[in-house]
Each structure stands twice: as C-alpha cells, then as structure tokens.
Amino acid sequence: MTATGPLPLRLLLWTVLGCLAAAPVHASGQDIAFARDAVEIVTQDGRSHTFRVDLAVTPRQRAHGLMFRRSMAADEGMLFLFDRERQRSFWMKNTFLALDMIFLDRSGVIVRIARDTVPLDETSIRSRVPAFAVLEVLAGTARRLGLQVGDRVRHRGLTGDEDP
C-alpha cells in the first residue's frame, strides 16, 4: 500500500510544518505524529460538511493510519494523501473503529465509498478504480450525510484547492 516517488513539494512543505504542531498518537509503544487540518465535503446538491482530520502522508503514517485508536468524534477522520492516482487497498487490521472509507480522485471527487468496514478484519478493501486519496470517517457517516459517488472533498492537498 505504499506509494513510490516524491511527494509534491507543496504537500511535503505544509505537512512538515503541520507536524511541528501535531500531537503524537500513542499506539503499541510508538509515537506517530499526524498534522491536523480541515476538509470540507460538498455534496452535489450543495450541502457542506467540515471535518477535522489527521493527515497521513508519509509511508509510516499511512501504514499506521487509525490503528489502535479507540474513539473518534463524529466530525473527525483521517485523510490519506498519495503522490499519484492508482488502485488502493486498505484493511482493518488493529483498527478498533468501524469506518467508512471514501476514495477520492486527484481533484477530490468521490470515486467509491466502502461503508461500514468491520473492525479488526484483514479482508482487503479496494478502491476498484484509481484513487489519489482516502478519507476515513466513522461508519455510518456517509449514510447519515447522504454522500455518494460524485460528491467532492475539498482540501489543499487535492488539485486546485488551496483551502477547505
């Protein structure tokens, strides 16, 4: 699940700066710092929903993800950013929270939603189409907000968006 090649300079710069103020996540004896930011989900009918997210942009952060976390607020999540679009595969190993995985193309358009993933399950959850990013939120969020393929996630790490 690791991406190869350099991260875009802009993404790398704000990620490093954001990590300076990030709180470490304590899991299995390791401290892993995630920068925090906001994303905005905009539905095709114009509704907007803002989430505070941890950013997973390095291979180590992406490999750790939300593993070992026992709770998360309804307006929180994790945004995984990669350096290019390709088919993605995730699993729920050591993840105690049921999640919705929202797969995004480079511009932030939702290309697939994997709803209600099963905690601790090691079955591969695939994007089925190329994806540049993945937004993980609590299970049931996509249904509650009426999210669907074609809706859009806005974040500065996605093409053309400087601010959520």
Side-chain angles (χ1 to χ4, degrees):
M1 179 171 79
T2 61
T4 59
L7 287 172
L9 182 58
R10 177 177 80 156
L11 177 62
L12 183 60
L13 178 62
W14 62 258
T15 300
V16 170
L17 293 174
C19 283
L20 295 176
V25 173
H26 301 282
S28 67
Q30 298 177 335
D31 290 343
I32 298 180
F34 293 94
R36 300 270 296 162
D37 208 349
V39 298
E40 178 185 24
I41 302 174
V42 181
T43 61
Q44 294 174 64
D45 63 3
R47 290 175 293 122
S48 174
H49 310 279
T50 302
F51 287 79
R52 294 288 303 163
V53 294
D54 289 334
L55 299 174
V57 296
T58 68
R60 184 171 181 231
Q61 290 170 330
R62 290 190 298 251
H64 191 278
L66 290 171
M67 289 193 313
F68 306 106
R69 194 165 302 180
R70 298 286 183 163
S71 65
M72 188 166 65
D75 65 345
E76 291 183 323
M78 180 168 282
L79 180 64
F80 295 78
L81 293 168
F82 296 91
D83 64 336
R84 63 187 167 118
E85 284 184 336
R86 65 183 246 192
Q87 289 195 32
R88 303 286 168 198
S89 181
F90 283 69
W91 65 356
M92 297 291 291
K93 181 176 183 176
N94 298 320
T95 305
F96 298 102
L97 302 171
L99 302 171
D100 287 343
M101 292 184 188
I102 303 169
F103 295 88
L104 312 168
D105 71 9
R106 183 175 292 277
S107 64
V109 173
I110 297 174
V111 294
R112 177 171 189 259
I113 302 172
R115 300 175 192 268
D116 304 317
T117 61
V118 178
L120 306 173
D121 188 8
E122 295 185 24
T123 302
S124 182
I125 301 161
R126 299 183 186 279
S127 63
R128 299 182 187 153
V129 297
F132 180 78
V134 179
L135 174 61
E136 292 183 342
V137 293
L138 289 176
T141 300
R143 186 173 293 104
R144 178 175 52 86
L145 300 180
L147 301 183
Q148 56 188 304
V149 170
D151 290 343
R152 186 157 188 247
V153 174
R154 295 189 65 226
H155 182 266
R156 74 183 96 231
L158 301 168
T159 303
D161 285 339
E162 296 302 320
D163 292 306

